[in-house]
Amino acid sequence: QGANGRSLPVPPAATLVPFEPPEPAARDRITDDPPLPELPLEDASLTPMERPCSNDVDAIAGDQGFIWIEVSAPCLTEQSVRISHGELEADWQLDDNGRLSVDLPAFSDQAVVTVSFADGDTQSLYVEVPEVRDLFRAALVWEGQKVLALHAMEFDATYGGDGHVHASLSEDRDAVGSFTVLGDGSGAMTEAYTFPAADAPRSGAVRLSVEAEVTSETCARSVNATAVQTDRLGGILFQRISLAMPTCELLGDMIVIDTLYRDMEIAAR
């Protein structure tokens, strides 16, 4: 009641009605708009540093009949990689950036180089190397640590004299040809010999042989290898061998095989 004794009027009861928005027109419906693009999931082919995990190989013809090869595999750091060219093959370990640079002696003027990665990826490249036509080449391929050695005797050289060359030679013996070692000892290895036939100072022959030292790692075991060489017509000759090494009582002895390669007949030009 108020101060004068009268009662205040009672307002009508409030009526609450739920708010219902109007039905949107068909053209305004969200479902009629083009679907939103789905956000991509995290790319599993990226390294933590956002580098792509692709394996890349570049190969171009270089000087003196070599193929310059660059390998990049940023997600396979310090993993093994094999490079093959015909019967030649060698294994290396990639560096801590997943990279490798190799100078590969070509044995064909139309060379095919294959690179095999630890993740199963294999890439082959074709390279034209016309300078190979002016070279004589030979190679010895084997698996594992250095147990074999290819030797060349140029122009009737005597053992240990001028013109006797091999990959481990640390002194100049007035040689015309040169050696290249492929592989780091972690798998397949190759020693390749190159003689620049087009620039031969005189006519003659180059004789090739293979030496195998009897060591505690090779004694009483079989050593498998492949002998490879080019011929006068630009073809490639190869022969696979299995060498039965002597018993361990003969440690330090040297086995010499001089029947695996044909003599290189050199004609001065």
Side-chain angles (χ1 to χ4, degrees):
Q1 294 182 349
N4 55 5
R6 294 182 180 181
S7 299
L8 295 175
V10 178
T15 56
L16 300 178
V17 179
F19 173 76
E20 295 183 2
E23 187 75 11
R27 63 179 179 273
D28 296 330
R29 288 183 179 273
I30 297 177
T31 54
D32 288 340
D33 293 338
L36 295 175
E38 295 183 3
L39 295 177
L41 298 176
E42 182 179 354
D43 190 348
S45 68
L46 297 179
T47 66
M49 298 301 292
E50 300 301 321
R51 294 177 298 174
C53 276
S54 62
N55 302 328
D56 298 314
V57 180
D58 290 326
I60 62 173
D63 297 334
Q64 301 177 353
F66 279 80
I67 302 173
W68 297 339
I69 302 173
E70 293 288 338
V71 179
S72 176
C75 292
L76 297 176
T77 59
E78 301 181 351
Q79 296 294 310
S80 179
V81 63
R82 172 165 291 191
I83 297 179
S84 306
H85 166 46
E87 296 299 321
L88 271 67
E89 57 185 20
D91 292 341
W92 287 268
Q93 187 180 71
L94 299 174
D95 66 16
D96 54 6
N97 290 315
R99 293 185 173 275
L100 174 69
S101 298
V102 172
D103 292 345
L104 181 75
F107 272 61
S108 171
D109 59 354
Q110 301 181 29
V112 176
V113 177
T114 300
V115 181
S116 303
F117 295 89
D119 62 357
D121 181 28
T122 300
Q123 300 185 28
S124 295
L125 295 88
Y126 170 81
V127 184
E128 291 190 0
V129 193
E131 290 187 10
V132 172
R133 302 166 194 159
D134 296 325
L135 304 171
F136 280 146
R137 278 193 162 135
L140 181 65
V141 186
W142 72 91
E143 191 81 20
Q145 296 290 331
K146 181 175 174 60
V147 295
L148 301 173
L150 179 62
H151 288 245
M153 303 284 191
E154 299 177 354
F155 304 116
D156 300 320
T158 58
Y159 194 91
D162 288 345
H164 173 206
V165 288
H166 52 89
S168 300
L169 189 64
S170 59
E171 60 186 74
D172 184 7
R173 288 183 177 170
D174 194 26
V176 179
S178 60
F179 274 86
T180 303
V181 179
L182 305 172
D184 58 11
S186 61
M189 290 194 66
T190 294
E191 285 185 356
Y193 170 75
T194 300
F195 188 95
D199 299 325
R202 57 192 175 96
S203 298
V206 176
R207 293 177 292 111
L208 300 165
S209 63
V210 173
E211 291 188 0
E213 183 180 1
V214 182
T215 68
S216 57
E217 289 78 21
T218 63
C219 63
R221 299 182 183 180
S222 294
V223 177
N224 299 320
T226 302
V228 189
Q229 71 180 126
T230 57
D231 64 15
R232 286 179 172 271
L233 301 178
I236 300 177
L237 309 173
F238 70 91
Q239 181 179 356
R240 295 187 177 91
I241 64 168
S242 181
L243 177 61
M245 297 295 289
T247 64
C248 298
E249 298 173 353
L250 299 176
L251 291 180
D253 281 9
M254 196 71 68
I255 307 300
V256 179
I257 308 172
D258 56 9
T259 58
L260 295 179
Y261 300 89
R262 297 181 181 180
D263 289 350
M264 295 180 177
E265 299 295 337
I266 308 299
R269 298 181 183 180

